[in-house]
Amino acid sequence: MVDFKQRLTDDNTEPNTTFLDQLRNNLPEFFTKNKYVIDDMGNEVLVEAGGFDIQKFQERLRNHNINEITDGYTLNFVGKKYAELQTGKPTGTVVIPDMNHNREVNNAQSENIFLTGDNLDVLKHLQRAYTNSIDVIYIDPPYNTGDDGFTYHDRFNLSDEVLRDTLSMNEEEIKKLRILDGRSSHSAWLTFMYPRLRIAQQLLKDTGIILVSIDEHEYANLKILLDHVFGENSYLGDLIRKTRSSANDSANGFNQQHEYVFIYGKNAQLSHLHGETKDQSKYKNPDNDPSGAWVITDPSARSGGPNSSFKITNPKNGHVDVPPVGRYWAFSRSTFDKWVESGKVVFKDEVKDGNRGFFVKKYASELKTTFNTVNSLFGTDNKFMNQVATKYLRDEIFDGRDYFSSPKPVEFIKNILKYSTDKDDLILDFFAGSATTADAVMQLNAEDGGNRKWILNTLDEKTPDKSTASKDGYLTIDEISRERIKRSSEKIKKEYPEIERFDDGFKHYYVKEIDANTIDKIIDFDPNSIQILTEDVVSEFAGNAVRLGEYYEKSDKDKVNKKFANVVDTGASGEDTILQTWLINDGYKLDVAVKTLELVHHNVHYVEDGAMAYIIDQFTQEDVEALLNLIGTQQLNVKTIIVFGYSFDFATMTSLKNNVKTTLDGVRVEVRY
């Protein structure tokens, strides 16, 4: 539940907070009970979270004869403790719906999502509503090549004292942590990636798969990091993609022509890839075998024993067969006899020299899967090179204009998604860049009739000054990404005019920090005061002043300087922003159906499936009476009424609480600030 005041003032996050939350969700039987008290406002307040009972856990291990591992190695780097803390720290951002965009016809009903903002903040919002919900994650993070623009930036707003007390860091460790700011070292990159992958792991379904592109610069570190986060047994393999054909002269005489894609499953026993559909055209049924179409298969195997090394005599002509030298029959004598009886084994009328006197049928119905395995080298084809991707974007999408220097080939992403998804899967990419993933998903849906959905996230990074994109009026990278999606969808519809079901739209949201002035008002407000907040807090959450590009870049003097800040109007009211932020953090997905009902003077928003009602705008006594009447007469199925505390005066708030308590059994009021 999102309470802005609590989020901004009471951050009790510890480095192991996220880990304990995972344990609590998956192993609740090993936790003691939470302790609650009722505050002066009548709200139930958590005062002490239940702790993990390590003795009970160890006893359970011993009872099941499970050996505890006492030796091994761990991943350590400068900033790891801080990265663990970042994983669990609540985000201080809000989710602003781009109402002007989302109201458009093809976007209003779309299930695709585009989020603009820092991906760590975005992931923390998604974590509340999409945990165990994502089928496939594909990301193309910064490679830390030294010239790809990656530098680790953090506000580091924790004091040295907090770092010492919370993270048990000594002075030397604190000094090294501070040095990471503005750097592109291996430790800086790992500190950046660690919390993002931690949350990504939680978002995946148990059957889910994550694919991560990388080159040689961080290949080794990424492998160890993924092993650390997902587990070594979750490694499914890695792909090779050819990036170029040749290179200019190099000092060491070596031409690096490829990069990699790591593939991990949330649970290796449940996560599976599937390659191209097997060619079954050779399966025929010339003898009308009741078991169906068949092909001749090799009856020998490389391994076996005495029971699979015997003579086979053709009853028609006496021809005798034995396994080839160094091999065995792929069956036992008893199995062979059953196959003869069923017709799976056929003896030949005539046997030419050097041939077997029988053959074994393999039926199409016996195939364990209709898919081939995925070849780790499929990406070495020239059509997957960087120059092909650049040419595609320039010539087929952006009318001859170059906007991205190194986009991923849409054909390659389309293939890896085809191999890792089913037709109704949900795909997440939180390093969306040029939005190749969205293009690939739409193309794949058009080709196989699928209904895959995507969630994309990228930063509103400023386009370089004097770049083609800047000259053409694109202020931020995410603007180009969204334009690419729109143009790609139009291109696909022209190429597939017969397509019936095709989601060519998307909903757009900004994830931004709360304005400093608003933060001050929230923190200073005393919820126990009988005075209503004199200034309108709701309107300060409005999306008509979203500032883009408020991020940082490294200057020539290695100092941090702010980029530009461009104001855009999303058409979102403060009520829209607060409601959207509450919804996703209450566990509702971004496409949840929300109904708005106008009462006497103001609106109430409600979600029927969750029996939740949200009151954000200032309510009058008449509005309270109208709402309670609707709930009491069961015209609204509401069990929880969420109230924005700043919008109520003392009398109206008291009336709402007292009337709910006395007239509506089983309904509760929750006040948020």
Side-chain angles (χ1 to χ4, degrees):
M1 301 296 183
V2 178
D3 186 310
F4 294 112
K5 186 180 182 71
Q6 184 178 23
R7 175 193 288 172
L8 295 169
T9 58
D10 301 324
D11 181 11
N12 298 316
T13 308
E14 300 285 347
N16 65 347
T17 295
T18 300
F19 178 60
L20 283 175
D21 286 343
Q22 287 182 282
L23 286 178
R24 188 174 285 107
N25 291 333
N26 292 288
L27 301 170
E29 67 272 26
F30 296 108
F31 280 82
T32 58
K33 291 183 178 180
N34 294 335
K35 295 181 179 178
Y36 297 90
V37 297
I38 304 299
D39 65 11
D40 295 337
M41 304 293 289
N43 295 316
E44 191 177 58
V45 179
L46 176 68
V47 293
E48 183 181 339
F52 184 67
D53 190 336
I54 186 66
Q55 291 183 339
K56 184 178 180 182
F57 182 71
Q58 289 176 328
E59 183 65 28
R60 183 72 64 85
L61 290 178
R62 283 191 290 270
N63 291 342
H64 288 79
N65 297 318
I66 299 174
N67 293 325
E68 298 175 55
I69 298 174
T70 57
D71 190 20
Y73 73 95
T74 59
L75 172 66
N76 282 308
F77 53 90
V78 175
K80 183 182 178 183
K81 292 180 181 178
Y82 183 76
E84 290 173 339
L85 184 68
Q86 285 292 79
T87 304
K89 282 180 69 66
T91 173
T93 58
V94 293
V95 181
I96 306 171
D98 187 348
M99 302 298 289
N100 294 332
H101 171 91
N102 297 347
R103 289 191 185 105
E104 294 178 10
V105 176
N106 62 325
N107 300 323
Q109 300 301 317
S110 178
E111 296 180 89
N112 300 318
I113 305 293
F114 192 105
L115 294 137
T116 296
D118 184 282
N119 54 15
L120 185 54
D121 291 315
V122 167
L123 288 169
K124 288 178 179 180
H125 283 293
L126 294 178
Q127 187 178 17
R128 303 300 294 269
Y130 289 85
T131 291
N132 298 323
S133 296
I134 306 296
D135 295 287
V136 171
I137 296 174
Y138 168 74
I139 55 172
D140 181 23
Y143 287 1
N144 199 18
T145 63
D147 58 5
D148 64 351
F150 170 75
T151 52
Y152 178 73
H153 289 300
D154 195 285
R155 288 178 294 278
F156 285 114
N157 51 9
L158 299 180
S159 67
D160 289 0
E161 181 181 6
V162 171
L163 293 175
R164 282 192 295 268
D165 295 343
T166 303
L167 303 182
S168 300
M169 298 179 69
N170 58 41
E171 297 302 323
E172 184 64 24
E173 289 174 325
I174 293 173
K175 181 179 178 181
K176 290 180 179 179
L177 176 64
R178 302 289 189 193
I179 290 175
L180 292 183
D181 192 22
R183 301 300 176 92
S184 59
S185 64
H186 293 303
S187 289
W189 188 84
L190 287 166
T191 303
F192 171 77
M193 290 297 297
Y194 183 93
R196 289 159 173 82
L197 289 175
R198 272 289 185 199
I199 299 176
Q201 191 265 355
Q202 297 172 38
L203 294 178
L204 281 174
K205 291 180 178 177
D206 288 340
T207 56
I209 290 173
I210 185 170
L211 306 103
V212 187
S213 287
I214 201 67
D215 73 359
E216 68 278 6
H217 291 83
E218 294 292 352
Y219 175 89
N221 287 325
L222 179 60
K223 177 67 170 68
I224 296 173
L225 180 58
L226 289 168
D227 283 347
H228 181 77
V229 172
F230 288 87
E232 293 180 48
N233 289 333
S234 294
Y235 171 68
L236 302 181
D238 59 89
L239 304 172
I240 302 295
R241 181 178 74 87
K242 186 176 182 180
T243 56
R244 61 186 181 185
S245 293
S246 60
N248 296 326
D249 293 338
S250 61
N252 61 12
F254 184 76
N255 178 25
Q256 183 78 20
Q257 293 180 273
H258 67 276
E259 62 182 36
Y260 314 87
V261 177
F262 280 116
I263 309 173
Y264 280 73
K266 175 74 169 283
N267 183 328
Q269 295 180 331
L270 302 176
S271 305
H272 302 287
L273 300 169
H274 47 80
E276 301 290 345
T277 302
K278 289 181 177 178
D279 180 8
Q280 298 185 42
S281 61
K282 294 182 179 180
Y283 285 82
K284 307 291 183 183
N285 194 5
D287 58 350
N288 294 317
D289 190 317
S291 295
W294 52 269
V295 294
I296 295 175
T297 186
D298 185 354
S300 69
R302 286 188 291 181
S303 60
N307 291 334
S308 55
S309 182
F310 51 87
K311 293 181 180 181
I312 296 177
T313 302
N314 186 324
K316 294 181 178 180
N317 48 43
H319 181 86
V320 177
D321 285 297
V322 294
V325 177
R327 295 178 69 86
Y328 303 83
W329 295 129
F331 39 77
S332 65
R333 167 62 77 177
S334 59
T335 298
F336 181 79
D337 292 341
K338 291 178 182 178
W339 286 358
V340 171
E341 185 178 349
S342 68
K344 183 177 174 69
V345 172
V346 178
F347 289 105
K348 298 177 181 178
D349 293 329
E350 298 181 5
V351 183
K352 296 181 180 180
D353 291 342
N355 290 348
R356 290 193 185 95
F358 70 95
F359 62 84
V360 177
K361 297 177 180 179
K362 181 178 181 180
Y363 297 106
S365 58
E366 294 177 324
L367 292 173
K368 294 180 180 179
T369 174
T370 58
F371 299 102
N372 290 311
T373 56
V374 177
N375 183 351
S376 66
L377 297 177
F378 86 85
T380 57
D381 192 292
N382 287 348
K383 67 181 180 181
F384 300 129
M385 294 193 301
N386 292 347
Q387 65 191 59
V388 175
T390 301
K391 186 176 186 299
Y392 168 79
L393 269 190
R394 182 188 64 223
D395 298 343
E396 298 190 42
I397 302 297
F398 286 118
D399 303 323
R401 309 293 285 173
D402 266 325
Y403 294 144
F404 292 98
S405 58
S406 55
K408 283 293 180 288
V410 67
E411 279 295 318
F412 181 74
I413 304 304
K414 186 170 66 175
N415 271 271
I416 64 175
L417 292 178
K418 179 166 63 175
Y419 300 155
S420 58
T421 67
D422 292 323
K423 290 185 177 181
D424 291 312
D425 280 358
L426 177 60
I427 297 101
L428 169 65
D429 180 353
F430 52 88
F431 285 100
S434 63
T436 301
T437 298
D439 194 350
V441 171
M442 291 190 296
Q443 288 192 34
L444 196 54
N445 282 341
E447 291 176 8
D448 66 9
N451 188 35
R452 300 169 185 83
K453 282 77 66 177
W454 50 261
I455 299 175
L456 262 62
N457 163 223
T458 195
L459 196 64
D460 50 341
E461 181 181 358
K462 183 180 181 296
T463 55
D465 294 333
K466 299 181 180 179
S467 65
T468 302
S470 180
K471 292 177 181 177
D472 288 350
Y474 294 105
L475 297 175
T476 57
I477 297 297
D478 66 300
E479 288 183 61
I480 315 175
S481 304
R482 295 197 298 277
E483 181 63 22
R484 189 256 180 95
I485 296 171
K486 296 174 185 177
R487 295 190 180 205
S488 295
S489 65
E490 291 301 318
K491 180 175 181 292
I492 292 169
K493 286 189 290 186
K494 290 179 181 178
E495 293 173 347
Y496 295 87
E498 74 287 352
I499 195 168
E500 295 181 359
R501 184 179 65 171
F502 182 64
D503 189 346
D504 64 336
F506 60 92
K507 291 185 173 66
H508 179 218
Y509 303 86
Y510 288 98
V511 174
K512 290 292 178 182
E513 291 182 345
I514 303 172
D515 182 81
N517 293 328
T518 305
I519 292 175
D520 291 339
K521 294 174 184 177
I522 289 174
I523 292 176
D524 293 340
F525 179 70
D526 180 7
N528 296 312
S529 170
I530 64 172
Q531 299 296 322
I532 190 172
L533 189 63
T534 56
E535 297 182 70
D536 180 10
V537 172
V538 175
S539 64
E540 297 197 26
F541 285 87
N544 61 354
V546 175
R547 294 186 177 275
L548 307 183
E550 286 192 326
Y551 296 95
Y552 298 86
E553 64 183 354
K554 194 175 179 183
S555 74
D556 294 336
K557 295 182 179 180
D558 200 25
K559 294 181 179 179
V560 173
N561 295 321
K562 270 200 171 184
K563 287 188 175 181
F564 83 127
N566 182 61
V567 177
V568 296
D569 184 2
T570 65
S573 66
E575 192 169 359
D576 293 326
T577 297
I578 295 170
L579 176 63
Q580 186 60 71
T581 305
W582 278 356
L583 285 168
I584 192 169
N585 284 276
D586 283 344
Y588 294 111
K589 292 180 170 58
L590 288 164
D591 59 355
V592 67
V594 180
K595 295 185 177 181
T596 300
L597 183 65
E598 185 175 350
L599 299 175
V600 181
H601 301 288
H602 301 285
N603 297 331
V604 62
H605 311 277
Y606 65 99
V607 181
E608 289 183 317
D609 292 343
M612 304 278 276
Y614 296 88
I615 303 172
I616 299 169
D617 204 0
Q618 293 187 13
F619 249 39
T620 65
Q621 183 62 36
E622 292 173 305
D623 291 315
V624 170
E625 292 172 1
L627 175 62
L628 297 183
N629 180 61
L630 289 172
I631 298 174
T633 57
Q634 298 183 345
Q635 295 180 62
L636 281 183
N637 175 30
V638 170
K639 296 300 181 185
T640 304
I641 302 172
I642 311 296
V643 177
F644 195 49
Y646 303 106
S647 296
F648 278 69
D649 59 34
F650 182 78
T652 308
M653 180 74 78
T654 302
S655 172
L656 175 64
K657 286 187 173 184
N658 289 340
N659 279 284
V660 167
K661 186 176 182 179
T662 56
T663 64
L664 299 178
D665 185 38
V667 179
R668 58 184 290 267
V669 176
E670 178 182 325
V671 184
R672 297 179 183 173
Y673 292 94

